Amino acid sequence: MSSSITDARRAQVQAVLDACPLIPVIAIHRPEHALPLARALVEGGINILEITLRTPFGLDAIRELRKELPEAWVGAGTVTSVDQYRAVEEAGAQFVITPGTTDSLFDYGLTASAPLLPGVATLSEMMRGYQRGYRHFKFFPAEVAGGVSALKAFSGPFPDVCFCPTGGIRKETASDYLALANVAAVGGSWLTPQDAIDQGDWQRVTAIARESLALLRNGKVC
Ligand code: 3PG
């Protein structure tokens, strides 16, 4: 097994983060919600979907969305073990996001078919990945781990590292993060409110996606 991540692998992760500046963190509580929810997000301009393994329906949702929505990037979130990583790859996940990271996950991600965006909350955790060549990380839980100020501080010692913060971010605060040079995308569950999903209010989901993207365009980012 190679001991360091390749440039090609880094480019794969960058391509995922370049696909859309906003990444919805999605929990599927009813299997029949997966496709209309995903379609509503795509309709609203969001073509990247992080389907978490927080419910038993995540794996099947990934399979279904890969088949039905070829125009979207479909990845897996809340992956916490190598066994889960293998399972989401088998389901067709195009990227894998973890909330925190273990050495086994860091090592598996070096050669896995789906690129890894490992989660970290501190520089010490990040440096374990950095040693293996990782340069892209999820920063979680962003708001309680120091938010924008922490990310600004991280850019001093590690100007070559890029983050996707998630955790406590809202549509009103996403552009504050995206204004930082070391932030490529931000994620969160504000894009998929559970009450809208429960009510099958897909138009509201589309509207939130559009509003959230419009706030970025009207702000300092785009
Ligand atoms: C994640 O895993 O990225 C978070 O649960 C998203 O955090 P949020 O629900 O506060 O947006």
PDB file of all heavy atoms in Angstrom, residues 64-74 94:
ATOM      1  N   GLU A  64     -29.447   4.379  -5.185  1.00  0.00           N
ATOM      2  CA  GLU A  64     -30.547   4.892  -6.005  1.00  0.00           C
ATOM      3  C   GLU A  64     -30.147   6.199  -6.709  1.00  0.00           C
ATOM      4  O   GLU A  64     -30.397   6.376  -7.906  1.00  0.00           O
ATOM      5  CB  GLU A  64     -31.773   5.146  -5.114  1.00  0.00           C
ATOM      6  CG  GLU A  64     -32.973   5.656  -5.883  1.00  0.00           C
ATOM      7  CD  GLU A  64     -34.159   6.005  -4.998  1.00  0.00           C
ATOM      8  OE1 GLU A  64     -33.988   6.166  -3.769  1.00  0.00           O
ATOM      9  OE2 GLU A  64     -35.272   6.142  -5.560  1.00  0.00           O
ATOM     10  N   LEU A  65     -29.521   7.095  -5.963  1.00  0.00           N
ATOM     11  CA  LEU A  65     -29.186   8.401  -6.543  1.00  0.00           C
ATOM     12  C   LEU A  65     -28.103   8.292  -7.607  1.00  0.00           C
ATOM     13  O   LEU A  65     -28.113   9.021  -8.595  1.00  0.00           O
ATOM     14  CB  LEU A  65     -28.769   9.385  -5.444  1.00  0.00           C
ATOM     15  CG  LEU A  65     -29.874   9.672  -4.426  1.00  0.00           C
ATOM     16  CD1 LEU A  65     -29.388  10.615  -3.345  1.00  0.00           C
ATOM     17  CD2 LEU A  65     -31.117  10.242  -5.109  1.00  0.00           C
ATOM     18  N   ARG A  66     -27.191   7.353  -7.428  1.00  0.00           N
ATOM     19  CA  ARG A  66     -26.161   7.165  -8.456  1.00  0.00           C
ATOM     20  C   ARG A  66     -26.806   6.721  -9.766  1.00  0.00           C
ATOM     21  O   ARG A  66     -26.368   7.105 -10.840  1.00  0.00           O
ATOM     22  CB  ARG A  66     -25.140   6.118  -7.986  1.00  0.00           C
ATOM     23  CG  ARG A  66     -24.215   6.623  -6.933  1.00  0.00           C
ATOM     24  CD  ARG A  66     -23.176   7.587  -7.512  1.00  0.00           C
ATOM     25  NE  ARG A  66     -22.120   6.891  -8.190  1.00  0.00           N
ATOM     26  CZ  ARG A  66     -21.699   7.117  -9.432  1.00  0.00           C
ATOM     27  NH1 ARG A  66     -22.275   8.043 -10.148  1.00  0.00           N
ATOM     28  NH2 ARG A  66     -20.714   6.431  -9.966  1.00  0.00           N
ATOM     29  N   LYS A  67     -27.860   5.927  -9.627  1.00  0.00           N
ATOM     30  CA  LYS A  67     -28.538   5.409 -10.818  1.00  0.00           C
ATOM     31  C   LYS A  67     -29.437   6.479 -11.455  1.00  0.00           C
ATOM     32  O   LYS A  67     -29.437   6.674 -12.659  1.00  0.00           O
ATOM     33  CB  LYS A  67     -29.388   4.211 -10.386  1.00  0.00           C
ATOM     34  CG  LYS A  67     -29.916   3.376 -11.496  1.00  0.00           C
ATOM     35  CD  LYS A  67     -30.335   1.990 -10.992  1.00  0.00           C
ATOM     36  CE  LYS A  67     -31.556   1.543 -11.759  1.00  0.00           C
ATOM     37  NZ  LYS A  67     -32.746   1.415 -10.947  1.00  0.00           N
ATOM     38  N   GLU A  68     -30.170   7.176 -10.616  1.00  0.00           N
ATOM     39  CA  GLU A  68     -31.223   8.067 -11.109  1.00  0.00           C
ATOM     40  C   GLU A  68     -30.765   9.504 -11.378  1.00  0.00           C
ATOM     41  O   GLU A  68     -31.452  10.244 -12.065  1.00  0.00           O
ATOM     42  CB  GLU A  68     -32.386   8.129 -10.099  1.00  0.00           C
ATOM     43  CG  GLU A  68     -33.026   6.794  -9.778  1.00  0.00           C
ATOM     44  CD  GLU A  68     -33.775   6.202 -10.976  1.00  0.00           C
ATOM     45  OE1 GLU A  68     -34.173   6.967 -11.874  1.00  0.00           O
ATOM     46  OE2 GLU A  68     -33.914   4.975 -11.019  1.00  0.00           O
ATOM     47  N   LEU A  69     -29.673   9.920 -10.755  1.00  0.00           N
ATOM     48  CA  LEU A  69     -29.256  11.320 -10.887  1.00  0.00           C
ATOM     49  C   LEU A  69     -27.790  11.407 -11.336  1.00  0.00           C
ATOM     50  O   LEU A  69     -26.923  11.859 -10.579  1.00  0.00           O
ATOM     51  CB  LEU A  69     -29.391  12.045  -9.548  1.00  0.00           C
ATOM     52  CG  LEU A  69     -30.730  12.666  -9.158  1.00  0.00           C
ATOM     53  CD1 LEU A  69     -30.578  13.466  -7.872  1.00  0.00           C
ATOM     54  CD2 LEU A  69     -31.277  13.565 -10.258  1.00  0.00           C
ATOM     55  N   PRO A  70     -27.520  10.998 -12.570  1.00  0.00           N
ATOM     56  CA  PRO A  70     -26.109  10.992 -13.015  1.00  0.00           C
ATOM     57  C   PRO A  70     -25.506  12.392 -13.052  1.00  0.00           C
ATOM     58  O   PRO A  70     -24.283  12.537 -13.061  1.00  0.00           O
ATOM     59  CB  PRO A  70     -26.195  10.374 -14.412  1.00  0.00           C
ATOM     60  CG  PRO A  70     -27.622  10.493 -14.828  1.00  0.00           C
ATOM     61  CD  PRO A  70     -28.448  10.512 -13.589  1.00  0.00           C
ATOM     62  N   GLU A  71     -26.354  13.424 -13.059  1.00  0.00           N
ATOM     63  CA  GLU A  71     -25.820  14.795 -13.122  1.00  0.00           C
ATOM     64  C   GLU A  71     -25.302  15.287 -11.772  1.00  0.00           C
ATOM     65  O   GLU A  71     -24.687  16.347 -11.688  1.00  0.00           O
ATOM     66  CB  GLU A  71     -26.881  15.763 -13.672  1.00  0.00           C
ATOM     67  CG  GLU A  71     -28.097  15.992 -12.793  1.00  0.00           C
ATOM     68  CD  GLU A  71     -29.247  15.012 -13.049  1.00  0.00           C
ATOM     69  OE1 GLU A  71     -28.979  13.799 -13.190  1.00  0.00           O
ATOM     70  OE2 GLU A  71     -30.409  15.462 -13.067  1.00  0.00           O
ATOM     71  N   ALA A  72     -25.558  14.529 -10.707  1.00  0.00           N
ATOM     72  CA  ALA A  72     -25.122  14.968  -9.375  1.00  0.00           C
ATOM     73  C   ALA A  72     -23.903  14.174  -8.911  1.00  0.00           C
ATOM     74  O   ALA A  72     -23.685  13.040  -9.343  1.00  0.00           O
ATOM     75  CB  ALA A  72     -26.262  14.795  -8.379  1.00  0.00           C
ATOM     76  N   TRP A  73     -23.123  14.799  -8.043  1.00  0.00           N
ATOM     77  CA  TRP A  73     -22.068  14.076  -7.337  1.00  0.00           C
ATOM     78  C   TRP A  73     -22.711  13.495  -6.085  1.00  0.00           C
ATOM     79  O   TRP A  73     -23.270  14.252  -5.272  1.00  0.00           O
ATOM     80  CB  TRP A  73     -20.973  15.026  -6.880  1.00  0.00           C
ATOM     81  CG  TRP A  73     -20.062  15.532  -7.949  1.00  0.00           C
ATOM     82  CD1 TRP A  73     -20.278  16.585  -8.783  1.00  0.00           C
ATOM     83  CD2 TRP A  73     -18.759  15.027  -8.270  1.00  0.00           C
ATOM     84  NE1 TRP A  73     -19.198  16.765  -9.612  1.00  0.00           N
ATOM     85  CE2 TRP A  73     -18.250  15.829  -9.310  1.00  0.00           C
ATOM     86  CE3 TRP A  73     -17.977  13.982  -7.780  1.00  0.00           C
ATOM     87  CZ2 TRP A  73     -16.992  15.612  -9.869  1.00  0.00           C
ATOM     88  CZ3 TRP A  73     -16.725  13.776  -8.333  1.00  0.00           C
ATOM     89  CH2 TRP A  73     -16.243  14.579  -9.374  1.00  0.00           C
ATOM     90  N   VAL A  74     -22.615  12.197  -5.931  1.00  0.00           N
ATOM     91  CA  VAL A  74     -23.239  11.552  -4.773  1.00  0.00           C
ATOM     92  C   VAL A  74     -22.152  10.923  -3.905  1.00  0.00           C
ATOM     93  O   VAL A  74     -21.402  10.050  -4.353  1.00  0.00           O
ATOM     94  CB  VAL A  74     -24.239  10.461  -5.221  1.00  0.00           C
ATOM     95  CG1 VAL A  74     -24.890   9.817  -3.998  1.00  0.00           C
ATOM     96  CG2 VAL A  74     -25.300  11.054  -6.155  1.00  0.00           C
ATOM     97  N   GLN A  94     -19.193   8.531  -4.695  1.00  0.00           N
ATOM     98  CA  GLN A  94     -18.110   9.155  -5.468  1.00  0.00           C
ATOM     99  C   GLN A  94     -17.121   9.904  -4.576  1.00  0.00           C
ATOM    100  O   GLN A  94     -16.095  10.371  -5.056  1.00  0.00           O
ATOM    101  CB  GLN A  94     -18.717  10.101  -6.504  1.00  0.00           C
ATOM    102  CG  GLN A  94     -19.504   9.347  -7.564  1.00  0.00           C
ATOM    103  CD  GLN A  94     -20.386  10.278  -8.369  1.00  0.00           C
ATOM    104  OE1 GLN A  94     -21.366  10.821  -7.860  1.00  0.00           O
ATOM    105  NE2 GLN A  94     -20.030  10.479  -9.620  1.00  0.00           N
TER     106      GLN A  94
END
